[in-house]
Amino acid sequence: MAQLNNNQEIRQLANLELLARQVVEGFITGLHQSPFHGFSVEFAEHRLYNSGESVKNIDWKLFAKTDKLFVKQFEEETNLRSYLLLDTSSSMNFPEKGLSKLQFSVYAIASLMYLFKKQRDAFGLGLFADRIDWLSAARSTSTHMYYLFAELEKAYNQPRQGTQTNLSNVIHHIAENVHQRSMIIIFSDMLENSMDASKSQDLFAALQHLKYNKHEVIIFNVNDRRHELDFDFDNRPHHFVDMESGQEVKVHPGRVRESYRQALNQYRHELELKCAQYQVELVDANIDEGYNNLLKAYLVKRNKVI
């Protein structure tokens, strides 16, 4: 296991945990205050303690009040195994100013890990671009969570340059190399296949492979909606550089906006149809809209699985 080398790394991990805790606790509070019910995130009810069983779940505060031993019971004793896959290809570094898609995904994954830990679910992490670069086992301990936070910090602090995505290869690898009946959660901008029909077909075949091997799948399609989907740039000539291939083009946004949107919307519509066909949850993850919808999508999917 990687060791923390200096105080700065420890502070960064503490900040990541703090952000994750704030996101999750705020989300849970919102659930309790809204009509969106049906999710017991952790505690379910009390029951009387039976002599001889483990004392780890005894509610000692309640014992102090009642002088009786009660055990906390938790819903969903059957743990779920989840693998979070993070696209670290160069296009995830967009936008270069403010919160990037990569940073947004790191924060979202940290928040989901914190939620998994509260629910006693096992979770692993995979980092990929054109192939799986790193994949952990799935565990549910605090030590494991901090270990994965450290890997997320590396991805956050060392964004990759000139790396392209090959999501279909990555998905085939995961389908064959992780335990069957896991939940696979993918964070990617999904731009690799947007203008290439053959690559789209490869992706759909890979998703079918995941489902064939009994995995449940959520894809969080991370995007900067204003710029990437709406193509909302100033009405003047711009110099665009492909962050993965380095290809450059000079263009006036107003002259290509309509055709760009049409091509991208056609791809996204096809992706939505295929995901619906394979029962893959596809969630739009705009980096400007926060994390609550992502956590809610996971909980909805989890309740369907267990």
Side-chain angles (χ1 to χ4, degrees), residues 159-204:
R160 303 173 66 181
Q161 305 297 325
T163 53
Q164 301 188 23
T165 316
N166 193 327
L167 187 54
S168 57
N169 280 354
V170 168
I171 290 176
H172 281 302
H173 178 91
I174 291 296
E176 290 297 334
N177 289 280
V178 304
H179 195 284
Q180 282 197 355
R181 300 185 185 278
S182 298
M183 182 177 288
I184 310 300
I185 303 174
I186 300 169
F187 281 81
S188 175
D189 54 20
M190 307 298 290
L191 292 177
E192 163 202 8
N193 312 291
S194 59
M195 303 300 175
D196 190 326
S198 63
K199 284 189 175 182
S200 294
Q201 294 307 313
D202 291 342
L203 173 62
F204 300 147

Side-chain angles (χ1 to χ4, degrees), residues 138-150:
R139 298 190 177 93
S140 58
T141 65
S142 295
T143 301
H144 183 63
M145 183 177 73
Y146 292 127
Y147 173 45
L148 298 190
F149 279 4

Side-chain angles (χ1 to χ4, degrees), residues 243-298:
M243 300 180 78
E244 295 196 357
S245 69
Q247 186 175 355
E248 302 182 25
V249 62
K250 294 181 179 180
V251 68
H252 195 296
R255 295 173 183 169
V256 300
R257 183 175 293 115
E258 193 60 35
S259 58
Y260 172 89
R261 286 177 178 174
Q262 184 176 356
L264 188 59
N265 287 337
Q266 181 178 343
Y267 161 70
R268 284 169 61 85
H269 179 64
E270 185 180 6
L271 180 61
E272 289 171 0
L273 290 177
K274 286 295 184 180
C275 285
Q277 177 183 340
Y278 300 143
Q279 296 183 307
V280 169
E281 197 81 19
L282 179 65
V283 181
D284 189 62
N286 179 8
I287 63 174
D288 294 323
E289 291 184 351
Y291 306 100
N292 279 7
N293 287 339
L294 279 62
L295 298 178
K296 187 180 293 186
Y298 161 72

Side-chain angles (χ1 to χ4, degrees), residues 2 13 125 127 134 146-156:
L13 289 182
L125 174 67
L127 306 176
W134 188 84
Y146 292 127
Y147 173 45
L148 298 190
F149 279 4
E151 293 301 324
L152 288 174
E153 284 288 347
K154 290 179 186 177
Y156 178 97

Side-chain angles (χ1 to χ4, degrees), residues 81-85 123-126 132 134-138 170-185 209-217:
R81 183 187 298 103
S82 297
Y83 290 88
L84 296 134
L85 305 181
F123 50 93
L125 174 67
I132 286 286
W134 188 84
L135 181 66
S136 80
V170 168
I171 290 176
H172 281 302
H173 178 91
I174 291 296
E176 290 297 334
N177 289 280
V178 304
H179 195 284
Q180 282 197 355
R181 300 185 185 278
S182 298
M183 182 177 288
I184 310 300
I185 303 174
H209 187 186
L210 269 181
K211 295 300 295 184
Y212 179 80
N213 283 10
K214 311 299 183 185
H215 298 296
E216 294 297 328
V217 187

